[in-house]
Amino acid sequence: RLWGVNTVLNFPLEPMIEGGLIELTADWLQSQFHDPIIKDDRMLTDLANPQIQIDFRQDFDKFRWGIGYSGYQVTKSYYVDEYDYLKMKPKWQGFVETSLFEQLKIRFELKNWGKERQYRQRLLYDDNRGGALVQREETSRLVGEKVKIIIAGEF
């Protein structure tokens, strides 16, 4: 079984801020699955909870820019002989976009502004997850900024 809430809200900021918009996206999912390996109920694999994104953007005729914030996420993955837990801390992102040239759009994006902190725990079992724990890995890392340049148009 799978249930949850998906919310998308847009708040236009005109006339206070010309071309301004705040976008809020939030997902919260829960599930229940009877796992025959461990003979107990658990969540489905790879559900990231919660997923929260808040963006501010401002659109002008030939220029757009914006910043965004993603809240923390937790993902649990279940495999035959492995359990993987990943927690990603909040992160910032931003973009600048222009269409100054006819039929050509250029977009510059910066992701993980201020670095993204991740914590991962991986448990490996003998034969399957119902067996004895044979290895435990824990990592904590900083994921650096990512830069993306997009050039789109008709050539």
Side-chain angles (χ1 to χ4, degrees):
R1 293 184 335 170
L2 176 67
W3 65 94
V5 176
N6 171 267
T7 305
V8 178
L9 301 171
N10 292 319
F11 301 101
L13 300 176
E14 298 231 23
M16 295 179 296
I17 299 174
E18 179 187 353
L21 177 71
I22 292 179
E23 301 170 321
L24 171 65
T25 305
D27 292 332
W28 177 79
L29 298 171
Q30 287 296 315
S31 66
Q32 186 175 5
F33 169 75
H34 184 75
D35 189 334
I37 294 175
I38 61 171
K39 297 176 179 52
D40 201 359
D41 291 340
R42 66 165 174 84
M43 288 183 64
L44 293 173
T45 292
D46 293 335
L47 289 181
N49 270 312
Q51 290 185 325
I52 299 170
Q53 177 75 35
I54 300 171
D55 294 305
F56 168 80
R57 64 179 295 138
Q58 192 171 19
D59 296 346
F60 298 105
D61 186 35
K62 302 224 180 232
F63 177 78
R64 290 157 292 287
W65 74 278
I67 58 172
Y69 172 83
S70 298
Y72 80 92
Q73 277 186 340
V74 172
T75 304
K76 297 176 182 178
S77 300
Y78 301 88
Y79 306 103
V80 173
D81 63 347
E82 179 181 338
Y83 168 73
D84 195 0
Y85 171 92
L86 176 64
K87 182 173 185 176
M88 296 182 288
K89 297 285 185 157
K91 58 188 170 214
W92 291 89
Q93 56 272 338
F95 78 92
V96 175
E97 183 179 279
T98 183
S99 54
L100 289 174
F101 309 105
E102 192 79 22
Q103 299 179 346
L104 183 66
K105 181 168 64 171
I106 301 170
R107 182 179 175 105
F108 173 82
E109 295 179 3
L110 177 63
K111 305 237 181 206
N112 293 344
W113 185 357
K115 297 191 175 43
E116 175 189 8
R117 296 184 183 279
Q118 293 181 352
Y119 168 76
R120 181 179 181 202
Q121 182 184 63
R122 187 173 172 221
L123 305 176
L124 300 168
Y125 296 89
D126 186 32
D127 193 36
N128 63 47
R129 282 180 290 105
L133 179 65
V134 293
Q135 185 175 342
R136 174 191 211 107
E137 296 175 9
E138 292 191 30
T139 57
S140 183
R141 56 185 204 168
L142 285 175
V143 178
E145 289 86 359
K146 298 174 187 171
V147 176
K148 187 180 198 180
I149 298 173
I150 303 168
I151 300 172
E154 296 179 26
F155 301 98

